[in-house]
Amino acid sequence: MKILVLHGPNLNLLGSREPEVYGKLTLAEINESLGALASELGCELETFQSNSEGALVDRIHSSTAVDGILINPAAYTHTSVALRDALAAVGLPTVEVHLSNVHRREEFRHHSFIAPIAVGQVIGFGCDSYLLGLRALFNLIKK
Ligand code: DHK
């Protein structure tokens, strides 16, 4: 089983970016924790971060040898029909995650274009959102 982990814009700055909102872990540290959990579960992971909407869409299109997608679309969550359409087009089970609880934040973060095509969301638990999301996606695909 192979799972593609996608990180959206500005997540490359994790660690130094608004740590009171997004936590102190860097993206490399989050990817490392995901890698450790993937080994424990016995699945393969591929991780990709981009600040560019088009690059994320292209990566989704080329996800042919992948069984599921774990995505933190970051700001594109609230703006991107293109990302949502790309995920719908490939039709892979998708779990949406967020480090912060977007519903406790500004109104513009309350709407997700991705949620209606995702199997589920895990939000508000920092790095654990990713780990819980990976576990849930793995269990779903395994069924
Ligand atoms: C990350 C971002 O960059 C924001 O634009 C989202 C999300 C929330 C997060 O909590 O992981 O609104």
Side-chain angles (χ1 to χ4, degrees):
M1 184 194 306
K2 190 169 179 176
I3 291 175
L4 174 64
V5 181
L6 294 175
H7 305 284
N10 303 307
L11 295 175
N12 54 311
L13 299 180
L14 287 177
S16 60
R17 174 196 184 202
E18 300 179 83
E20 66 289 354
V21 177
Y22 298 109
K24 289 184 185 147
L25 293 181
T26 63
L27 191 60
E29 288 168 331
I30 290 175
N31 283 336
E32 215 173 289
S33 297
L34 283 168
L37 177 59
S39 308
E40 192 189 299
L41 296 172
C43 74
E44 228 184 298
L45 271 199
E46 219 174 281
T47 60
F48 179 76
Q49 187 277 331
S50 182
N51 296 320
S52 152
E53 188 176 18
L56 289 162
V57 167
D58 287 341
R59 191 61 197 80
I60 292 164
H61 288 180
S62 61
S63 63
T64 44
V66 160
D67 301 294
I69 297 179
L70 182 72
I71 183 167
N72 182 348
Y76 292 141
T77 307
H78 321 297
T79 63
S80 182
V81 176
L83 216 50
R84 172 206 171 115
D85 284 355
L87 291 165
V90 298
L92 291 167
T94 296
V95 171
E96 176 185 349
V97 301
H98 296 287
L99 294 153
S100 65
N101 180 351
V102 287
H103 298 292
R104 293 182 74 174
R105 302 180 62 196
E106 303 94 326
E107 185 91 33
F108 67 84
R109 296 185 202 274
H110 297 181
H111 178 259
S112 167
F113 279 102
I114 310 303
I117 56 89
V119 179
Q121 290 177 308
V122 186
I123 65 165
F125 297 101
C127 179
D128 280 342
S129 294
Y130 281 94
L131 298 173
L132 292 164
L134 176 60
R135 207 177 266 282
L137 185 56
F138 174 83
N139 288 340
L140 182 96
I141 297 166
K142 207 177 58 175
K143 272 186 194 157

